[in-house]
Each structure stands twice: as C-alpha cells, then as structure tokens.
Amino acid sequence: MASQSRTPYTILGCLTLQPMSGYDVKQFLERTLVHFWSESPGQIYPTLRRLEEQGLAEGSAEPGQRGKEKRVYRITDAGRETLQAWLRKPAEPSQPRYEHTLKLFFGHSVGREASLAHVERLRRRTEADLAHYREHERELAEQAAKEPDSPAPYWLVVLRGGIQYSAMALEWCDETEATLRALPTQSADRRPGRASQSDREDEE
Amino acid sequence: MASQSRTPYTILGCLTLQPMSGYDVKQFLERTLVHFWSESPGQIYPTLRRLEEQGLAEGSAEPGQRGKEKRVYRITDAGRETLQAWLRKPAEPSQPRYEHTLKLFFGHSVGREASLAHVERLRRRTEADLAHYREHERELAEQAAKEPDSPAPYWLVVLRGGIQYSAMALEWCDETEATLRALPTQSADRRPGRASQSDREDEE
DNA sequence: ATTGCCATGTAAGGGGTTACATGATTAT
DNA sequence: ATAATCATGTAACCCCTTACATGGCAAT
C-alpha cells in the first residue's frame, strides 16, 4: 500500500460486494461507476496480484463460463480493515481538468461561434448522460427500498450527484449561450493566422 | 505537437494575453484558473522551450524585477494559428475522478457516520470555494462591461460555471445528508476488522 | 469458418506532480 | 542575519491508458 493510488481501494470495495475476478471488477465498474470512477485493465490485474501478496485478498481458480478458467478473489479480514481505514480518512480534494472549460476560457482567441459550438456539444453529451442516469435511478431506488441493509442508498446518492450535476450543466449551457450571443461579433474576426489588432505592432 | 497534452495550448493561450515568462504563466494560472485548470512547473518550463523550438513562441532575455533575469516568451503567428486550430476542435470528454465520490460509493462498508463526515468536509470546502468565486465575479463583470474586446466575458462564463457547480454541490450535500440520516444505523456497526454478516460464512 | 465474447495479462509510453538544486535580491 | 519572493530548471517517480498477445468456447 503506502501509495496514493486509489485503485487497490476501488478493487477492495468491489470485493466487499462479492468475490470477483479481474474481469468481473472491470465489468462492474463499467456498468455502475463509469461516469464517476473508472479503472483500466492495466491497473486491475497487477493490483489484484499485489492485494493477494499483501494478504488483503485471496485468489482461487474457478472454472469460467467459457474460455479459460477464472481467477476469483475474495477479500480477507485484513483487506476489509485496510479498506475501512482508507474510507474513514478524509478524501483528497480533486481538481478535475475539463478540456471544454479550458477551450472556453481562451475563447476570445477564436470568437463566439467556435465557443458556442463547444457549448452545444457539451449540451448534447450532458443530455445523453442525464437520460442514462435517470434510467438507473428508478432501479436503485427500488432496490434501496426493498433490501434493508444493501449498499443501494450509497450508490443512489452518488447517482443523484450525477443527475444534479447534469441538470446544473444544462442550465449553465443556457446561460452561457445567452451570454455569448449577446457579445459583439467583432472577436469572431480573429481568423486563424491573423494577429489581433492589439498584438500586431512589433510583430513581423 | 501531435501529443494530446494540453499544456502547450494552455501556455499559448496565456501568451495571447501578453508576453510571459514561465514564472508569469505559473502565477497567472494560479491566480485565475486554479480551480478549473492547473499546470506544474515541471510541465511549464520544458514546454516553453519546446514551443520555441517549434517556432510557436519566441523567447528573449529581459531583466527580472529581482533575482535572475527573466526569459520572456511572446507568441508567434504560427503559435496563434496552432492555438486557434486546437481551440476550434471539439473538446475531449473528460471523466474526472472525485475521491469523495468513490469513498461515498463504498460507504456501506463504514456506515452513515463516516459517510456523513465526508459530506460535511465537502460542504466546508465548497462554501470556501464559492465565497472565493463570488469575489472575483464582480471584478470580472465590471471588466467585461468596461473593455469592449476583452477576454473577460469568456473568463466570466467559466467562473459562472464554478459558481453554479458549487451551488449545486451544496444542495447535493443537503439532500445526501438527509438521505443518510434517514438510514437505519445498523450499517454503522461494520467496525474495522469485523466482517459483515452476509460475508462471514466460509471465512476463517 | 469466423466473429464475438469470456478471460488474463504485459509492455511501452505518456502525462503529470513533487521535490530538489540554484541563486540573486529585497524587506524585516 | 534571515526569511520571503523572484526566477529557472531538472530528475525521479508514479499513475494510468493503450495496445497488444494469448487462447478457448459458443453462436451464426
């Protein structure tokens, strides 16, 4: 451990749900956490090995559904302790880097039309995400109501976060579109290769 | 170029505002884009060198205010073209990884109290961010109104995004807190080292 | 026959951060 | 004196993704 990679904890978290192979972990993350967290195979398989070496998980060979046999890991008591200790520690603040934010920030260099295009693309993506989240919301809410001690409520609050984020983003798209449309068109004249007036002077 | 690193474009974007040294770029990013984008010195200085090699920026030695002399770079026409071409291309969708989301997702392993603590910490951080954004909002709005062809409107829409994100996050904190408080306390009994009932069977 | 899915893994490389080395100048 | 700021840079390292290699089984 001792590293600040969150992959081992993510995997341990998956293993608390049920014993899983690397493939199972990958599938589970892709189906439930995609938009909130993801891990690549190049991380998952080596990490599972390491978890076993450290006694945090135990692997056993089991026949796969088709193809090769599966190597199924189950979490150990030590693994549960390690996971819980990490889960209790404050989360590191994360500063995400949204490329569309960066492109908009420097939008003055290309003018409103190009910037509006970014907003529209973001809107379409966000609408698709939102529709996707809404589908899952009902399922999870039912599961949370039925099973008394299931992890569903925790998954639901995360999903609600995604829904609220998307709704916020769509409102921001509306507002931004209006703001940009209200701008004078002159900055749209900054065609590629043409320096802006204020920068020309001692150039060339 | 040819890479998918966004550092060179970030720097070129800064250089469209005025000629800057590596230190200036670092300062500017820290003061205006911190929460939306950041670059480390280990990226900035080598990238500036590469930009010069590629003819996208031109460096010249100028006396610094104190200490060593500054190496000030100014963007070239080729640099402006390269930046604009990139700015016009659609942004890559980004899937950010929020550690607090991950810790909440697996909150069932530690119970409501530990999860509520994460929510409270996030709330405090978000409130601080929001206050910070609000300060800048006024300045930027004034600047956008005064100067006719300034980049301020573009910076403002990004800042508005931060404000709306923070407001949304605070609402989410309220909702999540309520949801978690409504949960039965039993899952809080999953103390470190104690396996949950459903997982015990063939263990130890 | 061949595509597609199940399943495990590795190698290479890229992007990025942290930490350090260096050093001059100004303010306390 | 010493701390802080200005200023540039590098080396090490880590995390992570991409792409590939392997291969068996099931369905079309």
Side-chain angles (χ1 to χ4, degrees):
Chain A
M1 212 76 345
S3 83
Q4 50 242 37
S5 169
R6 281 125 329 163
T7 306
Y9 305 110
T10 307
I11 292 177
L12 285 175
C14 292
L15 296 186
T16 62
L17 305 172
Q18 55 176 290
M20 288 189 191
S21 68
Y23 194 78
D24 295 333
V25 169
K26 213 175 118 235
Q27 295 286 306
F28 175 77
L29 291 179
E30 258 164 36
R31 276 175 201 152
T32 64
L33 262 173
V34 226
H35 293 271
F36 309 109
W37 200 269
S38 64
E39 297 287 348
S40 56
Q43 288 278 95
I44 294 174
Y45 289 105
T47 301
L48 275 168
R49 273 285 156 88
R50 243 178 298 130
L51 288 177
E52 187 167 27
E53 281 168 23
Q54 295 169 315
L56 306 180
E58 274 168 8
S60 61
E62 284 181 33
Q65 288 182 274
R66 340 187 215 291
K68 285 189 197 166
E69 61 176 11
K70 293 176 91 162
R71 181 149 186 84
V72 175
Y73 295 84
R74 60 182 62 231
I75 194 168
T76 63
D77 280 355
R80 241 179 234 104
E81 267 182 74
T82 302
L83 171 65
Q84 290 172 354
W86 181 77
L87 286 175
R88 284 183 218 279
K89 274 194 290 185
E92 292 293 315
S94 46
Q95 38 191 21
R97 302 165 111 211
Y98 291 96
E99 195 174 296
H100 73 257
T101 300
L102 185 61
K103 294 204 171 187
L104 260 163
F105 187 83
F106 290 120
H108 188 246
S109 289
V110 283
R112 14 175 286 190
E113 297 312 322
S115 299
L116 280 166
H118 289 302
V119 178
E120 291 322 308
R121 273 185 292 261
L122 178 69
R123 186 200 299 281
R124 260 173 274 132
R125 240 189 286 136
T126 307
E127 277 167 352
D129 288 346
L130 186 54
H132 185 248
Y133 295 154
R134 285 254 151 83
E135 277 181 46
H136 277 269
E137 193 184 10
R138 228 177 311 160
E139 300 170 35
L140 264 184
E142 277 173 39
Q143 205 186 319
K146 260 191 298 186
E147 296 167 46
D149 188 39
S150 88
Y154 294 93
W155 300 0
L156 191 56
V157 295
V158 168
L159 183 63
R160 289 285 307 161
I163 289 174
Q164 282 168 242
Y165 174 84
S166 300
M168 178 279 295
L170 290 178
E171 275 177 52
W172 176 85
C173 285
D174 291 340
E175 184 186 299
T176 300
E177 209 190 298
T179 303
L180 294 182
R181 285 206 193 289
L183 243 48
T185 37
Q186 60 191 104
S187 46
D189 292 335
R190 300 186 160 222
R191 268 184 290 276
R194 321 255 332 146
S196 74
Q197 290 169 352
S198 52
D199 289 332
R200 281 197 83 81
E201 283 105 41
D202 42 303
E203 217 91 28
E204 58 176 337
Chain B
M1 213 78 342
S3 83
Q4 49 242 38
S5 169
R6 282 126 326 166
T7 306
Y9 305 111
T10 306
I11 293 177
L12 285 175
C14 293
L15 296 185
T16 62
L17 305 171
Q18 57 177 288
M20 287 187 192
S21 68
Y23 194 77
D24 295 334
V25 169
K26 212 176 119 236
Q27 294 286 307
F28 175 77
L29 291 177
E30 257 164 36
R31 276 176 200 150
T32 62
L33 263 173
V34 226
H35 293 272
F36 309 109
W37 200 269
S38 65
E39 297 288 348
S40 57
Q43 288 277 93
I44 294 174
Y45 288 105
T47 302
L48 275 168
R49 273 285 156 85
R50 244 177 296 132
L51 288 176
E52 187 168 26
E53 281 168 23
Q54 295 169 311
L56 306 180
E58 275 168 7
S60 62
E62 283 182 32
Q65 289 182 274
R66 340 187 216 293
K68 285 188 198 167
E69 60 175 12
K70 292 177 91 161
R71 183 151 185 83
V72 174
Y73 295 84
R74 59 181 64 231
I75 194 169
T76 64
D77 281 356
R80 239 179 237 103
E81 266 181 75
T82 303
L83 171 65
Q84 289 171 354
W86 181 77
L87 285 175
R88 284 183 219 280
K89 273 194 289 184
E92 293 292 316
S94 46
Q95 39 192 20
R97 303 165 110 208
Y98 290 97
E99 195 175 295
H100 73 258
T101 300
L102 186 60
K103 293 203 171 188
L104 260 163
F105 186 83
F106 291 120
H108 188 246
S109 289
V110 282
R112 18 174 283 189
E113 296 312 322
S115 300
L116 281 166
H118 290 301
V119 177
E120 290 322 309
R121 274 185 291 260
L122 179 69
R123 186 200 299 280
R124 261 174 272 133
R125 242 190 283 137
T126 307
E127 277 168 352
D129 288 346
L130 186 54
H132 186 249
Y133 296 154
R134 284 254 151 84
E135 277 180 46
H136 278 269
E137 192 184 11
R138 230 178 309 161
E139 300 170 33
L140 264 185
E142 278 173 38
Q143 203 186 320
K146 262 192 298 188
E147 296 167 46
D149 188 38
S150 88
Y154 294 93
W155 301 0
L156 192 56
V157 295
V158 169
L159 184 62
R160 288 285 307 161
I163 289 174
Q164 282 168 242
Y165 173 83
S166 300
M168 177 280 293
L170 290 177
E171 276 177 51
W172 176 84
C173 285
D174 291 339
E175 183 186 299
T176 301
E177 210 190 298
T179 304
L180 293 182
R181 284 205 195 290
L183 242 48
T185 38
Q186 61 191 105
S187 45
D189 292 335
R190 301 186 160 224
R191 267 185 291 277
R194 322 259 325 151
S196 75
Q197 290 170 350
S198 52
D199 289 332
R200 282 195 82 82
E201 282 107 39
D202 42 304
E203 215 91 27
E204 58 175 341

